Amino acid sequence: MDFQQILAELVATQTDPHTRARQWKSANQGTVIAHLLPDVPEEIIHASGALPLAVTGVDRGTSLAESHIPSFICSLLRNPLEMALRRELDFIDGMVIPYVCDSTRAFSQVWEANFPDLFNHTLWLPKKVSGDSAKQFLFSEFMRLKKRLEVFLGREITDQSLRHAIGVYNQNRRLLRRLFALRKKGRIPLPYADYLSVVKASMTMPREDHNTLLARLLEGLKEECRPCEKEESVRVFLLGSLGEPHSVLTLFDELGMDVVDDHFYDGTRCFLQDVDEAVDPMEGLVSRQLSKAPLSGFHYQDDRWRQYLLDRVRDGQIEGVVYFPLMYCDPMEFDYPLIKGLLGEMGIPVLFLETDFHSGSLGQVRTRLEAFAEMLREKKDESLPC
């Protein structure tokens, strides 16, 4: 299989995200523990011998889900429920739901009421993400998940199995960072939408398989490595929860917008930090979680958002930011004035582009992106010396 075939296989998971997990379960008679995003420690699930599976959704209606939850709940929750009610997730053995906002807290109860026979677990993430109390609370939550999995599966999760899982996931993060760096430097002809599909694929298949495919993909891309001519393009950063819908993401390259970085639950944010393999494995997982890029819906006592944005803008030579919340995502909408203000201080224009899994009016989105790209080009031209 050449690298083009590998790329096509990974990109295909965008529309068919669960085939690999089904095949793994059938071949191994194994246990599949699904989870919602963000920030579920997949290494603990992997160390239990089960397959972690991130469930997000696909581009379709959610009429069944809307008979159980209000239609104004974001599609991060509506879509997994829709798939489960359609029995498209009938192969999973459990679901871990992280507490991010009021909607996710209530959703846990809806899920458990509809699927009482599964291993259901709510992961309480600390809302205040600093200090010893946050560290202690998160440690106790990760231990609670570990113990509940041990009871459910009837086997101990040893430190040795945790260290092995951390090693597998760290390897995956290193490979993804290599891919990210090559794109960011404009060294490989890989459209952003395809790049993000490769990242997302890591969450829907055995991580060992993704490591193998990704290493071979990088070898193939290395042969294609060359400076990519993008003289007319503008460098942008996408800031949101999920990189959806795919049809909108394909527009950026088409319109001459070079997406060099993102801040998505299922994008760059998930592989920027490794777990320290030299410390206690559970403490290493906690430390990594608390050092990750900030998220809407959580409280940071330090100047984390400002420093994070400043670093991303400088490192990526960002010229514009597209703020990409899913429709009805209250935490992201509440944070928008803060983020826009901070970026304004840096002289970075922002486009607010609310999306959903459904493509909606793609023409309208295209028009708004075209106008934003044109504005960024004019700003760029004005800054050039005469």
Side-chain angles (χ1 to χ4, degrees), residues 103-386:
S103 295
T104 52
R105 181 169 57 182
F107 182 75
S108 290
Q109 298 173 31
V110 174
W111 181 274
E112 289 173 16
N114 281 279
F115 308 104
D117 297 331
L118 296 179
F119 168 83
N120 292 312
H121 185 89
T122 301
L123 181 69
W124 298 96
L125 299 172
K127 301 300 286 183
K128 180 183 171 185
V129 192
S130 58
D132 288 342
S133 59
K135 188 174 181 180
Q136 291 167 9
F137 182 83
L138 190 58
F139 185 90
S140 67
E141 273 300 289
F142 283 4
M143 286 299 294
R144 189 170 66 88
L145 173 62
K146 173 177 175 288
K147 289 173 181 173
R148 285 208 63 212
L149 281 170
E150 287 174 332
V151 171
F152 177 67
L153 295 168
R155 54 178 173 264
E156 183 185 3
I157 300 174
T158 64
D159 279 0
Q160 184 180 7
S161 61
L162 265 176
R163 290 187 188 283
H164 172 72
I166 288 169
V168 170
Y169 277 72
N170 276 349
Q171 181 187 1
N172 191 249
R173 294 177 189 117
R174 286 192 290 271
L175 291 168
L176 286 170
R177 286 199 297 272
R178 280 178 56 194
L179 184 67
F180 171 68
L182 287 171
R183 268 206 83 255
K184 189 175 177 181
K185 294 175 183 174
R187 302 291 297 178
I188 52 174
L190 181 64
Y192 173 72
D194 288 352
Y195 155 79
L196 192 61
S197 294
V198 171
V199 179
K200 291 177 180 178
S202 70
M203 302 176 181
T204 59
M205 65 172 62
R207 203 59 64 116
E208 292 88 344
D209 292 356
H210 194 260
N211 283 347
T212 301
L213 291 171
L214 188 52
R216 292 170 61 188
L217 177 66
L218 282 163
E219 282 300 308
L221 285 170
K222 197 162 66 175
E223 296 176 8
E224 302 290 313
C225 196
R226 63 182 183 279
C228 302
E229 299 295 335
K230 295 182 178 180
E231 291 181 1
E232 297 299 321
S233 68
V234 287
R235 297 170 70 85
V236 297
F237 175 60
L238 307 187
L239 203 165
S241 45
L242 293 181
E244 297 290 347
H246 188 77
S247 55
V248 170
L249 299 179
T250 62
L251 291 176
F252 286 93
D253 283 271
E254 186 183 330
L255 299 175
M257 304 175 83
D258 186 13
V259 181
V260 294
D261 202 352
D262 69 60
H263 176 90
F264 289 134
Y265 297 169
D266 53 356
T268 304
R269 183 181 180 276
C270 68
F271 60 77
L272 287 181
Q273 293 95 355
D274 285 340
V275 178
D276 186 350
E277 296 184 46
V279 302
D280 173 82
M282 199 62 81
E283 289 185 359
L285 290 170
V286 169
S287 295
R288 174 179 183 269
Q289 170 58 33
L290 295 178
S291 67
K292 290 171 79 174
L295 281 182
S296 294
F298 294 85
H299 306 292
Y300 302 91
Q301 288 184 318
D302 51 18
D303 212 10
R304 184 96 63 100
W305 267 115
R306 182 191 300 276
Q307 192 57 52
Y308 170 73
L309 291 172
L310 190 61
D311 290 344
R312 307 317 291 174
V313 166
R314 283 177 177 168
D315 291 349
Q317 299 176 299
I318 301 299
E319 296 168 286
V321 170
V322 179
Y323 199 75
F324 222 78
L326 285 176
M327 194 174 292
Y328 308 124
C329 177
D330 290 341
M332 282 211 68
E333 292 184 359
F334 289 150
D335 271 357
Y336 179 60
L338 167 70
I339 303 297
K340 185 179 181 182
L342 292 173
L343 290 167
E345 293 174 12
M346 302 172 201
I348 303 298
V350 186
L351 173 68
F352 184 94
L353 189 67
E354 191 176 55
T355 63
D356 205 343
F357 274 82
H358 315 297
S359 302
S361 176
L362 199 59
Q364 190 180 67
V365 173
R366 175 192 291 273
T367 300
R368 295 189 65 201
L369 286 175
E370 280 178 331
F372 188 60
E374 186 61 29
M375 186 270 286
L376 293 178
R377 288 193 192 92
E378 288 179 2
K379 185 172 182 284
K380 187 176 184 177
D381 291 343
E382 289 170 1
S383 66
L384 294 174
C386 297

